[in-house]
Amino acid sequence: MAGKRFTVRSRDIRWREGRYGKRRRSPLLSRPPRPRPVLDVVIALVASLIAGGLVLCMAFLLLGSYGLPLHLGYGVILAGVTLCSLLMGPRDRGGVMITAGLALVWILGTASLYVVRDAIHLRPHEHRKPAAVVFGREPS
């Protein structure tokens, strides 16, 4: 009288309770995403321009603090960023495009800053001496 005490009779051994359709496909069988070269180029150029802008801000700080010419500070810092991106960055298509964009921004930015180097001047504000502080007097 005591038969098999298996709760799920007449079903496959691999059957599990739960929602139907939860089967997972093997990642090897799924297709890789379609390449979008235009989108990759746009993303690489935007990332390179943002990096160039940040380096330009650092070059302005070096100009104001140490009097280092703007084209020299910009060129040295962005050359270091480009070299680090080439050595430590990923070797896939996106990483190579970002490195190429950084190199393009480095060359064009340094050349343009070198051309306009005579027009770049940091002048202090027209504060010649601090205002005199007078205690005990009301302003008139």
Side-chain angles (χ1 to χ4, degrees):
M1 210 156 151
K4 295 182 181 179
R5 299 244 180 210
F6 188 66
T7 58
V8 183
R9 292 184 183 168
S10 74
R11 294 203 175 125
D12 193 14
I13 294 174
R14 295 184 302 166
W15 181 86
R16 292 188 184 140
E17 292 186 27
R19 296 182 65 183
Y20 177 75
K22 278 191 162 183
R23 296 180 212 148
R24 294 185 179 188
R25 297 178 92 187
S26 171
L28 299 174
L29 297 177
S30 63
R31 289 186 218 160
R34 286 184 15 225
R36 295 183 239 174
V38 175
L39 183 64
D40 291 343
V41 168
V42 168
I43 289 173
L45 284 178
V46 168
S48 300
L49 288 175
I50 289 172
L54 290 173
V55 169
L56 184 65
C57 292
M58 288 185 220
F60 268 114
L61 290 174
L62 288 175
L63 174 66
S65 298
Y66 300 108
L68 191 68
L70 194 61
H71 63 277
L72 186 63
Y74 181 82
V76 168
I77 294 173
L78 200 56
V81 170
T82 305
L83 187 66
C84 287
S85 173
L86 181 65
L87 295 177
M88 293 187 277
R91 302 281 185 201
D92 61 344
R93 180 177 26 177
V96 170
M97 281 197 288
I98 288 176
T99 303
L102 281 172
L104 183 69
V105 168
W106 170 47
I107 292 168
L108 293 177
T110 305
S112 62
L113 287 173
Y114 183 76
V115 168
V116 298
R117 70 187 180 278
D118 293 332
I120 299 172
H121 298 286
L122 284 184
R123 293 188 180 98
H125 298 287
E126 299 300 324
H127 301 297
R128 303 219 190 286
K129 59 182 179 181
V133 178
V134 179
F135 293 106
R137 287 176 125 182
E138 291 185 20
S140 48

